[in-house]
Amino acid sequence: MKVLHTSDWHLGKKLEGLKRIEEQEKFIDRLESIVLEENPKLILIAGDIFDTPIPSSEAEKLFFDAIKKLSNHGERGIVIIPGNHDSAERLVASKNLAKEFGVIIYENVLEEKEIGTYGKFQVEKTTKGGVILNIDGERAFIYSLPYISEAYLDEAYKNILAEQIEELGEGVEESLTYSQKIGALLKRGLLEVECENIPKIIMAHLFIMGSSGDGDEREAELGGSKGVDINDLPEVDYIALGHIHKPMKYLKKRACYSGSPIEYRVTENKYNKKVLIAEVNGGLDTEIREIELENYKPIKRYEVEGVEEAIELSKSLIQANEWIYLKIITDRWLAGSELKELRKNKNIVDINVVYRNGNDLEEVTYFENGELDIKESFKEYYKTFDGIEPSEEIVELFMQLLEGEDE
């Protein structure tokens, strides 16, 4: 079975308060063309479809329009799991309509779906967290693990442990790491189909220890306490991972992160964005291919010496199709007119000024939620002289002088 793997769309995500919906629309258009070219039987979307639990209406519309087109009116199967950014309840709110289009959306870990017709293909068998699909005569088992909290994982593992004790008797290992519990949960999900001679696929939203993210992977910041050791994952034909924004492959386990489809942070400009195609033949015979995506609006960082050079650079890039983080190293304060000149370039998302005062350096960021905050920057600068904030009268006087200068 040919499978397309994508994840971490983060629809509705902004950059320093500025919308990215046009770039996301271009990605969806490209994804639709890839699907037409490759004609996969199954599409796996491994979580973080939206950037927030309550996405904007335009983000939701983009998602639902995409799903309808990608499914080809139910001929192509689509399986979706929520990530840590998603509201699972919101994703499954349209599950009845989704079923008509051949879309299976998991809300919970160990959720059991209905047997029957989805779109124009069949769910032949269901397990807790898994389904056997028959799409145009091609069969495969898909086990889905949505993002899982540590508390929920502990509860799920207690059930697995109880089953093992009942089956094997006392002496079963009770004290396992987070990684080992995830491994046990995944292996338990395969038990009911281990005798089925069909390809077996796992889809999960989790953090593999040793992976580098550059996204909002909060677990990575906890010293790996919620990381999963690749060796704890079971042997299956393909593991479709979501959560890390960098495309990565662990070939010994046939496990891959597809990564996010567009750059969401300046640190993500070090690698190309991709979707993955897995030709899953069964018997651990899997061919994995990468399809690179266009970078619709790169995020770039510039560093200049002096205010004049910053203004010239800003003017030269005003028509550039890129998001700009600008760092200015200078020994003098920026005038209001100079800030206004820099603001003419709407692609600048952040202005970071480093002031040199002898051997001392002071950093001030002028950008907040998409707008230059001159008043707050003046307060910060004033404090460098005697360590106290200026009075409201001084601030108002400064703003009046600034308005007069801009006229």
Side-chain angles (χ1 to χ4, degrees):
M1 182 178 287
K2 182 186 281 191
V3 178
L4 185 144
H5 168 204
T6 179
S7 71
D8 294 87
W9 293 1
H10 287 277
L11 299 181
K13 188 173 181 63
K14 298 178 180 180
L15 183 65
E16 310 294 351
L18 301 173
K19 288 186 177 183
R20 311 289 301 280
I21 198 73
E22 289 185 10
E23 296 163 76
Q24 292 167 342
E25 288 171 348
K26 289 178 181 178
F27 156 65
I28 294 298
D29 288 343
R30 176 58 181 139
L31 182 62
E32 290 170 2
S33 68
I34 290 171
V35 167
L36 286 175
E37 293 163 10
E38 293 286 340
N39 193 28
K41 296 290 185 182
L42 179 65
I43 297 173
L44 302 178
I45 308 178
D48 282 353
I49 290 85
F50 297 110
D51 191 55
T52 63
I54 305 177
S56 65
S57 58
E58 59 186 352
E60 283 196 308
K61 183 178 186 303
L62 181 57
F63 169 67
F64 290 120
D65 288 348
I67 291 304
K68 285 190 283 187
K69 291 179 182 177
L70 293 172
S71 71
N72 193 25
H73 303 287
E75 291 189 7
R76 190 175 292 112
I78 300 178
V79 182
I80 300 172
I81 56 173
N84 55 303
H85 283 253
D86 297 311
S87 164
E89 296 84 356
R90 198 174 185 95
L91 271 180
V92 301
S94 59
K95 61 183 178 182
N96 291 332
L97 178 62
K99 185 177 178 182
E100 291 181 22
F101 286 93
V103 181
I104 298 171
I105 305 175
Y106 280 87
E107 180 178 2
N108 300 308
V109 176
L110 302 177
E111 181 179 348
E112 192 163 355
K113 294 297 184 181
E114 295 178 2
I115 293 174
T117 301
Y118 287 70
K120 297 179 182 178
F121 64 87
Q122 296 295 313
V123 171
E124 292 186 346
K125 180 178 180 178
T126 67
T127 67
K128 290 181 178 179
V131 289
I132 292 180
L133 304 181
N134 187 327
I135 306 175
D136 289 339
E138 295 186 34
R139 301 172 71 239
F141 174 71
I142 320 298
Y143 182 82
S144 297
L145 181 66
Y147 175 77
I148 183 170
S149 69
E150 196 163 8
Y152 202 117
L153 175 61
D154 287 343
E155 188 62 33
Y157 182 67
K158 285 179 184 177
N159 295 332
I160 295 174
L161 186 64
E163 291 176 1
Q164 291 176 331
I165 290 174
E166 183 178 345
E167 181 180 350
L168 303 174
E170 297 295 335
V172 176
E173 178 63 53
E174 296 187 35
S175 178
L176 297 182
T177 65
Y178 176 90
S179 176
Q180 290 168 332
K181 289 176 183 177
I182 288 287
L185 185 60
L186 294 175
K187 290 168 186 173
R188 172 63 184 82
L190 297 167
L191 285 179
E192 293 183 51
V193 295
E194 60 183 350
C195 294
E196 294 275 359
N197 187 25
I198 56 176
K200 298 174 180 67
I201 299 169
I202 288 173
M203 178 166 58
H205 193 89
L206 49 78
F207 175 71
I208 300 294
M209 288 189 288
S211 54
S212 57
D214 293 319
D216 189 16
E217 298 81 30
R218 296 179 178 88
E219 291 77 5
E221 300 170 4
L222 299 175
S225 64
K226 290 188 181 178
V228 176
D229 188 323
I230 189 70
N231 295 309
D232 286 329
L233 299 181
E235 294 287 343
V236 293
D237 293 278
Y238 186 67
I239 301 177
L241 298 170
H243 200 33
I244 298 296
H245 287 197
K246 178 181 180 180
M248 300 184 71
K249 292 190 288 188
Y250 303 86
L251 293 180
K252 70 175 183 178
K253 287 286 188 175
R254 296 159 297 283
C256 298
Y257 284 106
S258 63
S260 61
I262 66 175
E263 292 177 5
Y264 283 121
R265 291 185 176 188
V266 68
T267 50
E268 292 184 40
N269 63 7
K270 302 171 186 175
Y271 44 83
N272 296 327
K273 298 298 187 176
K274 303 170 183 177
V275 296
L276 302 178
I277 298 291
E279 299 271 6
V280 183
N281 303 310
L284 306 185
D285 175 18
T286 301
E287 177 189 346
I288 301 168
R289 292 187 287 116
E290 303 172 345
I291 299 178
E292 289 193 4
L293 299 170
E294 181 183 346
N295 193 346
Y296 306 106
K297 193 167 183 177
I299 303 175
K300 294 191 177 181
R301 194 193 302 272
Y302 293 91
E303 181 176 315
V304 297
E305 289 272 351
V307 179
E308 292 76 13
E309 186 178 341
I311 291 173
E312 287 303 310
L313 177 68
S314 176
K315 288 179 179 178
S316 70
L317 296 174
I318 203 162
Q319 298 298 327
N321 184 41
E322 57 189 40
W323 298 112
I324 299 168
Y325 281 76
L326 179 60
K327 183 176 184 178
I328 307 170
I329 302 174
T330 180
D331 54 8
R332 69 172 179 83
W333 192 251
L334 275 71
S337 58
E338 293 169 330
L339 288 171
K340 185 176 181 181
E341 190 66 32
L342 290 170
R343 289 184 70 179
K344 290 180 180 178
N345 189 334
K346 302 302 182 184
N347 293 319
I348 295 178
V349 297
D350 180 272
I351 301 174
N352 179 240
V353 182
V354 178
Y355 293 100
R356 277 193 300 235
N357 184 11
N359 294 325
D360 296 329
L361 295 176
E362 178 195 358
E363 290 194 25
V364 176
T365 299
Y366 280 81
F367 220 81
E368 186 176 88
N369 297 325
E371 293 295 334
L372 287 165
D373 195 342
I374 297 173
K375 182 186 288 187
E376 291 304 314
S377 298
F378 170 70
K379 290 180 181 179
E380 290 297 318
Y381 178 69
Y382 187 95
K383 281 164 43 177
T384 63
F385 290 99
D386 53 15
I388 62 172
E389 288 196 3
S391 66
E392 285 301 319
E393 290 80 6
I394 291 176
V395 174
E396 289 304 315
L397 177 60
F398 168 75
M399 295 305 292
Q400 290 172 17
L401 290 172
L402 189 66
E403 289 172 4
E405 183 179 354
D406 289 344
E407 289 177 355

